[in-house]
């Protein structure tokens, strides 16, 4: 059969032998022919049923093929191997297809633009999606090369059935919905995609669909950058996901994603979210500045991360809950507002050869029934290095904790841990903190330096410690609280500043083959302790305990807040290890703090009083600097007001103001009530109150419901002992602490009048008035702005009416009631959005009248 010569068909507004309509030229064309279209706008709905090359005569941007009104697409592809080059395809309705490709058909779009509608590709049903393998070449029924998809609604690209699509160097932008949606067994291969400004997720995969994407960038999707559901799979390499409206990557169902050399930057929520039975592997990836977690895994999700970086997280860098499991190897977690790793529920964490640093709270926190294995890691510049509160059994081995503000390694009550060959250096309060009810085994390792004790064994704890070296600690080598015990074998206590071993009343540890070297004394504490010593020595001489303790060789430094005094007053049970000191606060400017005060809702009278006191204190400081005598000034205050009127908030800000004025060293707030000050038996209240007071040195002691220390009926009460202790301590530390007593207005006069020392020190009362209805609305709006919600005008008016008519009885909580109302509104809005088919970002962030509490709608 002779070979047929291909022909070229021209389309244009004039010329002999030129088709006026593109459709006429297509009907005349045979397989393999070329249709050349002159510049212009052609309003037609075209069908390609055979292999044809359709090109713009003068290149991209000169020919527009626009779908006519009525719902038909601009182009329907029914046959294989069709190619369009340099054409603009324009849909009639953004919510409808501009281009459709049916099962078995094939299309190449080269340097084309598709606007005002989506590309819809339907593949054969029942086709297997296949798995992605390194080096595999993708095959496609549709190829988009150097194209632009813009202005679609719902989705710019939709794949279903067994569709196969490949994208190269293409831009998807300004989509009122999702950039690309895959369903069924569809498969999408992407290289060089630029996806920008979608109101929904960047790419959504459902069913058994597959995505392979490389060298791409997803910028500002309204929701998740990538959303995977069901059993979908994505392989993503050398890609950036920037500023997504929710997560960078969200996996649910049994979906699976592999990330290689991929970056997720500044997501509004968590960067990597795994739910249900989803699985994630990530190699060489970076997460930067997520609004919430770097990685959040729940359900039975599984994650494996290698050589990854998680930086500047708004919440914990990694949060594992339920029965999720995650393994991190050679990873870096730097800077974060909460924990580095928070392992909760029955989750499991493996952390190997990784570093954690610059974390506000705990490097690795293990709670509930979770467990963790931490091996060969470095944790630095954190509040607590590793904290174990779970009985499931956590192991920390061959790791280093440097410069923890509180404790290097902590095992809380009910926690169980094995600590092997670890090095803890420079801790602020304790190298190892073993709380009451903990079960800890320490094998080898060292505790070096730091301002606290090497090991603190709290009341009733019985650790087993072997081969540990404690060297150069700022306080005791090992501090045994009341009734503490345990076994220490082959341990060295070297060069401690205070006695090597502090033994509180009833402490009965067993020490076997331990050495005390170059310490001021071997023992300190209470002579009633009963240690058992076996083959121990002090500086080469056999160690003995005769009940009479040696005094320290050097003066005892001031007591750190929350740590026991040695050897004077033992710390009572109320001052548990949870109250060890925190890091020093950062410097703040007075003008910034006054501006922060001014932004508080309502409280006009209180704000005026605080500003007046600040001016007075500035004047006092100026007189002192000029060598003039200072007028009498009491900084202690009474805050009188009903619950929820902002007393704690103002107290915390007051401390920071005094620090900025140079009148307090730290300016921190320690909040207590009767239960934290009053003991349960004779001799218990004084030390308990002193411990709480010591924690507030350099800052503010805020006593909530202070009137409860003074019984209305008179008579003997341990609360009166707490008041007397407070009065003496306020006198002894008049320049290093501020006490604020808070409570109901009617009861605070009784409290101040109960002791002459109180009435002479509390000379100023700030009255916190109840919030007005408008103030409560402002509090709700402030909460809404913080969480990216907005109230409509009708909702604001309805809310104002609700607060105006809300009963203000004993259960009314002022600001707390406003915050509870906001929470209920978000919950009701979430239920309403769950019933919407495809809610827009505006709908998701808008609070309507229907979202108000039921009581407000009646």
């Amino acid at each position: 059969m002779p070979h047929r010569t291909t022909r070229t068909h021209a389309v244009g507004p004039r010329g002999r032998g030129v088709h006026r309509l593109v459709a006429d030229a297509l009907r005349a064309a045979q397989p393999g022919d070329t249709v050349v279209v002159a510049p212009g706008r052609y309003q037609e709905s075209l069908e390609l049923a055979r292999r044809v090359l359709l090109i713009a005569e003068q290149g991209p941007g000169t020919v527009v093929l626009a779908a006519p009104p009525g719902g038909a697409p601009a182009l329907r592809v029914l046959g294989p191997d069709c190619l369009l080059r340099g054409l603009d395809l324009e849909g009639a309705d953004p919510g409808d297809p501009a281009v459709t490709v049916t099962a078995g058909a094939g299309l190449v779009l080269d340097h084309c633009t598709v606007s005002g509608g989506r590309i819809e590709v339907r593949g054969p049903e029942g086709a297997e999606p296949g798995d992605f393998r390194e080096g595999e070449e993708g095959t496609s029924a549709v190829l988009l090369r150097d194209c632009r998809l813009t202005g679609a609604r719902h989705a710019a690209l939709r794949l279903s059935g067994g569709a196969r699509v490949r994208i190269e160097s293409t831009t998807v932008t300004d989509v009122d919905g999702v950039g690309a949606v895959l369903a069924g067994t569809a498969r999408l291969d992407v290289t060089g995609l630029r996806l920008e400004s979608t109101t929904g997720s960047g790419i959504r995969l459902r069913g058994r669909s597959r995505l392979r994407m490389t060298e791409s960038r997803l910028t500002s999707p309204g929701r998740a950058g990538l959303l995977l559901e069901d059993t979908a799979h994505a392989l993503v390499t050398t890609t950036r996901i920037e500023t997504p409206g929710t997560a960078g990557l969200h996996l649910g169902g049994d979906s699976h994603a592999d990330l290689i050399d991929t970056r997720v930057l500044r997501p509004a929520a968590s960067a990597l979210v795994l739910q249900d039975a989803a699985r994630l592997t990530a190699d060489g990836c970076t997460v930067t500045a997520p609004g919430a977690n770097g990685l959040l895994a729940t359900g039975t999700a599984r994650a494996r991360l290698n050589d990854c970086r998680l930086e500047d997280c708004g919440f914990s860098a990694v949060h594992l809950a339920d029965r999720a499991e995650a393994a991190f190897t050679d990873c870096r977690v730097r800077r974060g507002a909460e924990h580095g790793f928070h392992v909760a529920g029955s989750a499991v964490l493996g952390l190997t050869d990784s570093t954690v640093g610059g974390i506000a709270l705990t490097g690795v926190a293990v709670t509930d029934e979770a467990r963790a294995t931490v091996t060969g890691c470095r944790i630095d510049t954190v509040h607590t290095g590793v904290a174990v509160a779970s009985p499931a059994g956590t192991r920390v081995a061959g790791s280093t904790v440097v410069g923890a503000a509180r404790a290097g390694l902590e095992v809380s009550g009910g926690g169980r841990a094995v600590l092997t060959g670890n090095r803890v250096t420079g801790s602020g309060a304790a190298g190892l903190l073993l709380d009451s009810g903990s079960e800890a085994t320490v094998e080898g390792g060292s505790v070096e330096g730091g301002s606290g004790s090497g090991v603190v064994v709290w009341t009733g704890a019985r650790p087993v410690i072997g081969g540990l070296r404690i060297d150069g600690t700022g306080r005791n080598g090992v501090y045994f609280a009341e009734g503490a015990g345990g076994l220490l074998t082959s341990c060295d206590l070297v060069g401690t500043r205070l006695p090597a071993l502090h033994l509180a009343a009833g402490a009965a540890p067993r020490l076997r083959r331990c050495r005390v070297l170059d310490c001021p004394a071997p023992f300190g504490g209470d002579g009633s302790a009963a240690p058992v010593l076996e083959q121990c020595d002090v500086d080469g001489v056999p160690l003995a305990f005769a009940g009479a303790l040696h005094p320290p060789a050097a003066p005892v430094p001031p007591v750190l807040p929350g740590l026991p005094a040695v050897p004077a007053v033992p710390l009572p049970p109320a001052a548990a290890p949870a109250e060890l000191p925190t890091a020093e606060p950062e410097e703040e400017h007075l003008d910034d703090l006054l501006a922060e005060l001014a932004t508080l809702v309502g409280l006009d009278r209180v704000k005026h009083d605080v500003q007046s006191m600040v001016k007075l204190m500035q004047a006092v400081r100026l007189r002192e600097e000029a060598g003039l005598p200072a007028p009498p000034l009491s900084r202690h205050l009474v805050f009188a007001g009903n619950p929820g009127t902002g007393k704690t908030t103002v107290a915390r800000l007051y401390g920071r103001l005094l620090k900025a004025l140079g009148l307090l060293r730290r300016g921190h707030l320690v909040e207590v009530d009767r239960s934290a000050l009053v003991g349960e038996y004779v001799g218990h209240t004084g030390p308990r109150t002193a411990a709480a007071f010591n924690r507030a040195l350099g800052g503010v002691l805020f006593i909530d419901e202070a009137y409860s220390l003074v019984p209305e009926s008179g008579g003997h009460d341990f609360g009166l002992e707490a008041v007397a202790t407070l009065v003496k301590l306020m006198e002894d530390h008049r320049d290093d602490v501020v006490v604020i007593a808070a409570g109901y207005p009617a009861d605070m006069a009784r409290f101040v009048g109960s002791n002459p020392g109180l009435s002479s020190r509390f000379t100023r009362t700030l009255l916190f008035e109840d919030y007005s209805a408008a103030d409560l609305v402002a509090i709700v709006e402030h909460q809404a702005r913080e969480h990216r919600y907005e109230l409509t005008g009708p909702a604001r008016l309805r809310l104002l009416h609700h607060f105006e008519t809300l009963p203000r009885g004993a259960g009314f909580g002022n600001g707390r009631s406003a915050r509870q109302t906001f929470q209920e509104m978000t919950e009701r809005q979430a239920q309403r959005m769950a019933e919407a088919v495809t809610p827009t970002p505006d709908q998701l962030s808008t609070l309507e009248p229907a979202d108000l509490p039921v009581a407000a709608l009646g």
Side-chain angles (χ1 to χ4, degrees), residues 1-6:
M1 187 174 185
H3 177 72
R4 191 185 73 84
T5 303
T6 59

Side-chain angles (χ1 to χ4, degrees), residues 777-794:
V777 172
I779 293 173
V780 172
E781 291 191 301
H782 176 74
Q783 291 278 306
R785 285 192 298 272
E786 282 193 342
H787 294 82
R788 297 180 65 180
Y789 287 91
E790 184 175 354
L791 276 69
T792 65

Side-chain angles (χ1 to χ4, degrees), residues 129-138 187 189 212 233 235 258:
D131 292 319
F132 295 125
R133 296 176 178 84
E134 191 68 26
E136 175 191 8
E137 290 296 329
R187 175 165 163 167
D189 286 315
R212 178 166 61 183
H233 176 211
L235 171 61
D258 298 298

Side-chain angles (χ1 to χ4, degrees), residues 5 50 127 154 181 189 226 233 326 375 378 448 452 460 487 505 666 770 775 780 782-783 840:
T5 303
R50 57 183 70 92
H154 306 314
V181 176
D189 286 315
L226 296 175
H233 176 211
T375 306
R378 178 184 172 91
E448 304 165 14
L487 172 64
R666 298 181 61 201
D770 287 346
D775 291 337
V780 172
H782 176 74
Q783 291 278 306
T840 66

Side-chain angles (χ1 to χ4, degrees), residues 423-630:
R423 178 173 180 256
V424 178
T425 179
S427 295
L432 308 183
L433 178 55
L434 311 176
D435 205 350
S436 303
S438 64
E439 183 179 337
T441 301
V442 181
E443 302 169 350
S446 65
V447 177
E448 304 165 14
S451 56
S453 295
V455 179
V456 173
V457 183
W458 216 250
T459 303
R462 300 285 189 273
V464 176
I465 303 175
L468 179 68
R469 180 181 176 87
I470 302 170
D471 193 343
T473 56
R475 296 181 69 81
N476 306 108
V478 183
Y479 177 94
F480 289 97
E482 295 178 359
L487 172 64
L488 274 68
T489 303
S490 301
C491 294
D492 289 347
L493 291 79
V494 182
T496 60
R497 187 176 182 190
L498 298 186
L501 297 160
H502 177 89
L503 304 174
R510 180 181 294 271
L511 281 72
R512 181 180 299 153
R513 297 188 300 278
C514 293
R515 299 189 301 171
V516 176
L517 304 170
D518 195 26
C519 295
F523 296 107
D526 194 296
S528 67
V532 177
L533 307 177
E534 303 174 8
Q535 303 177 46
C536 298
D537 64 73
V538 50
D539 294 321
V541 178
L543 179 63
F545 180 83
L549 300 179
H550 302 281
V556 178
V559 179
L560 291 175
L563 281 176
V566 182
V569 180
L571 192 67
E579 298 167 343
L580 292 168
T582 58
E584 292 294 323
E586 295 181 359
E587 294 295 329
E588 296 181 291
H589 195 277
L590 181 63
D591 290 341
D592 295 334
L593 295 173
L594 290 173
E596 184 177 338
L597 174 70
T599 62
L600 296 179
V601 174
L603 304 177
D604 292 340
R605 180 174 173 179
V606 169
K607 290 188 285 190
H608 177 270
D609 289 345
V610 171
Q611 290 167 346
S612 298
M613 287 188 292
V614 168
K615 293 177 181 178
L616 175 60
M617 292 174 189
Q618 286 177 304
V620 168
R621 189 177 62 179
L622 291 173
R623 286 181 61 87
E624 290 176 337
E625 292 173 351
L628 299 172

